[in-house]
Each structure stands twice: as C-alpha cells, then as structure tokens.
Amino acid sequence: MRHDHLITSKQLSRADIETVLDRAAEIDDDPSAVADRHANRLLGLLFFEPSTRTKMSFETAMKRLGGDVVDMGSVESSSVKKGETLADTVRVIEGYTDALVLRHPKQGAATMASEFVDVPLLNAGDGAGHHPTQTLLDLYTIRENAGLDDLTIGIMGDLKYGRTVHSLAYALTNFDARQHFISPESLQLPREVVYDLHQADGGAGIREHDSLEEVLPSLDVLYVTRIQRERFPDEQEYQKVAGEYQIDMETLEAASDDLTIMHPLPRVDEIAPAIDETECAAYFEQAHNGVPVRMALLDLLLREGGDDDE
C-alpha cells in the first residue's frame, strides 16, 4: 500500500486490499507479535458524529499496537463549538499525533481535511459518502466466510444514504463478484454510484431489485443495512420506508444453507434476534474483525510513514 491517506475505497486496488487483509489475518492469528510495534505513536480521533464500533475499534487497535490515542471529544466540548473550522482543527491536532481518524456528517469532509495535513488521515465516514475502513473489515469477513471470487452478494436496505454500501460496492469491483442491490425505489443507489460501478466492470455484475425473494436463493452473502433515520431530510419520507425490509427465520427458508448474513450495525429491526443463533449470522464476527483489520491498516500506514524496522 502506498497511500498517504485513506479517503475512499475507490483508491484501493485488489493488491492494496489483499495486502491489508493478509496482514489482518497474520495479526488475528498472533496479536502479540505486534504488541509493541508502534510504542510512543499517537492516533488522533476526531469524531463529529456519534460512533461506537468504529471509534472503539480504532482505539483498541492503536493500543494493541503499543501506541495510544488522543480524542477530540464531543463537538459540544471542543473548539468547534466556538466556530473553529475543520481545516484549523485537523491542522492543530496533526501537531499532536502520528495519524488522524476523522468522522464527519458532511460528504467530502475527509477529502478536504486531507489537503491540510501531512500525517496519514483515515476517513471513518463522511455523511452519505464513504467508509473505507468499514469496507476493509467487511471484505475480511466475506473472505473468511465465502471467499471474494465467484461471489454472489445481495446488499439490502438504505442504499441511497448508506456510506458502507457505497464503499463496499466500489471495492467489490476488484473481484469476481455479482452484486444485487435490493431497496425501495426511494432508497436506490445514487445514479452516479451506479454509473461508476458499470464503468468499473462493464455492468456485468450489477443488478437492482425492489424485492429480496427473487435473488435470495442464489446469494452467498446478504449484507443488510439499517434505514438511517438521521440521514432523511423529511421525517415523513423516513416513515414511508421504515421497517420495510426485514430478515427473520421465515425469510431463511428460501436461502442457501451456506448463506452468510452481515450488517455494519447498529441494527434496529432489520434482522430478527432469532437469526443471531443461526450459523448464517456473521455480524458480530464482522464487528470483532474491525480490530485486526484496523490494526493491520494502521501498522501499514505508520510503518510506511516512519522509520520502524521491517
């Protein structure tokens, strides 16, 4: 991997992805081997939106590499509340750290912020834009459960505002993957994303549907997403689609015995709790994988940016 920043999965080649996933597998097998790899390194966390898994897994990853974190804290308790610009905030915190992780509600914020810093900056979600580190842990989970070539995947739910979906879809064009996108018409993939995906693979592996039933039996992986209330500009529009796409035990009757069900979490009512006890459920494994994958990513970026011994 030779990138100063990770802003979008579109910048990752198949080789880049496999480098991160292979390193993550090594770390997963023997975390102690990298326990002091980045002692005295600091990771800056700048989260302008709420986060549980992403924020805590980055913090865990950095500490398990021997480093530590400094956290901007809530927007309400920071200088942002006084009117400080994002550009100024990242330039200040860059001076304290060796790398930055940014989550922001505005699409494109990570791209803009990266122009003002020299340390590696990782996009942890920018509005309805991209979430490339989530994509890497998603790909790791898919590879562990179903493989990444000759793959048929269904991606269902909020495809319009779902940044995890956009990032994953772009990354999967590096592999032999057939992608089925399932959503209500009002939450279909943005047309510019569809155009990009067709350009990337000639459109051969891209299909859109409004119903799961017609494609479920053929799927190796079903990636379910939450209908994101916070992204809707109109509450009435949210209520029209809330709860429309749900998975329960009855749904699984038509699925392959080897189906893997994933979800970036948090879930609301998209997946019935009874599914948790089945062999299909991989979403808690998926959340766990955030630590070794983010350890691998930080290890690669920090070692390239510093003078650690190989």
Side-chain angles (χ1 to χ4, degrees):
M1 266 186 63
R2 291 291 169 185
H3 301 291
D4 295 328
H5 309 297
L6 180 55
I7 306 302
T8 167
S9 63
K10 294 170 71 174
Q11 74 192 74
L12 297 174
S13 67
R14 177 172 181 144
D16 290 329
I17 292 168
E18 291 179 337
T19 295
V20 176
L21 302 193
D22 289 346
R23 181 66 62 88
E26 293 171 2
I27 291 172
D28 216 0
D29 286 342
D30 185 12
S32 64
V34 293
D36 297 314
R37 177 75 54 82
H38 295 288
N40 301 317
R41 294 289 187 90
L42 285 174
L43 179 68
L45 303 178
L46 298 85
F47 279 70
F48 290 74
E49 280 188 321
S51 173
T52 301
R53 281 154 300 281
T54 301
K55 188 174 185 180
M56 291 188 70
S57 63
F58 263 117
E59 182 170 1
T60 302
M62 192 62 190
K63 289 183 175 181
R64 287 190 174 174
L65 289 169
D68 209 339
V69 300
V70 290
D71 188 348
M72 181 186 81
S74 69
V75 170
E76 288 72 20
S77 63
S78 74
S79 291
V80 175
K81 195 69 175 177
K82 302 175 184 177
E84 184 174 65
T85 65
L86 177 59
D88 283 358
T89 298
V90 295
R91 281 188 286 197
V92 167
I93 299 179
E94 174 192 24
Y96 308 148
T97 62
D98 300 287
L100 299 172
V101 178
L102 173 67
R103 170 169 289 188
H104 199 279
K106 291 186 179 180
Q107 188 169 341
T111 299
M112 186 278 288
S114 70
E115 296 173 357
F116 291 91
V117 296
D118 293 321
V119 301
L121 184 144
L122 294 90
N123 179 10
D126 60 334
H130 296 272
H131 197 347
T133 69
Q134 175 72 42
T135 291
L136 288 168
L137 72 91
D138 290 343
L139 293 173
Y140 184 77
T141 306
I142 294 170
R143 189 172 78 166
E144 292 292 297
N145 285 274
L148 283 169
D149 282 310
D150 193 21
L151 174 75
T152 302
I153 181 171
I155 304 177
M156 184 176 81
D158 181 358
L159 311 185
K160 180 177 181 179
Y161 299 110
R163 58 194 175 202
T164 62
V165 168
H166 305 161
S167 286
L168 179 59
Y170 283 123
L172 284 170
T173 61
N174 287 291
F175 301 90
D176 177 19
R178 296 167 291 280
Q179 300 189 63
H180 295 274
F181 297 99
I182 305 123
S183 70
E185 184 176 356
S186 62
L187 291 178
Q188 287 181 337
L189 280 174
R191 294 302 90 184
E192 64 270 19
V193 175
V194 174
Y195 175 81
D196 288 346
L197 296 177
H198 277 273
Q199 291 293 107
D201 79 343
I206 308 300
R207 297 290 183 273
E208 294 183 273
H209 313 268
D210 61 10
S211 170
L212 175 62
E213 284 73 17
E214 61 185 291
V215 297
L216 180 59
S218 68
L219 299 182
D220 301 306
V221 174
L222 176 60
Y223 191 98
V224 183
T225 66
R226 176 174 63 93
I227 305 297
Q228 301 178 87
R229 188 175 202 154
E230 67 272 21
R231 303 282 178 217
F232 280 74
D234 186 331
E235 174 68 17
Q236 289 185 335
E237 289 302 310
Y238 167 76
Q239 293 297 336
K240 289 179 183 178
V241 295
E244 189 170 339
Y245 288 75
Q246 298 177 327
I247 303 297
D248 56 23
M249 294 300 291
E250 184 177 351
T251 308
L252 293 187
E253 292 176 5
S256 162
D257 292 340
D258 298 324
L259 178 68
T260 297
I261 299 177
M262 298 172 60
H263 192 304
L265 301 177
R267 65 174 164 180
V268 182
D269 57 4
E270 312 86 52
I271 301 177
I275 301 292
D276 300 354
E277 305 305 318
T278 70
E279 293 184 0
C280 296
Y283 29 90
F284 294 116
E285 171 193 346
Q286 183 181 353
H288 162 80
N289 288 338
V291 173
V293 170
R294 290 180 170 122
M295 287 176 72
L297 185 58
L298 288 169
D299 183 36
L300 289 163
L301 289 173
L302 289 171
R303 292 180 81 178
E304 287 179 0
D307 56 1
D308 297 277
D309 293 332
E310 289 292 336

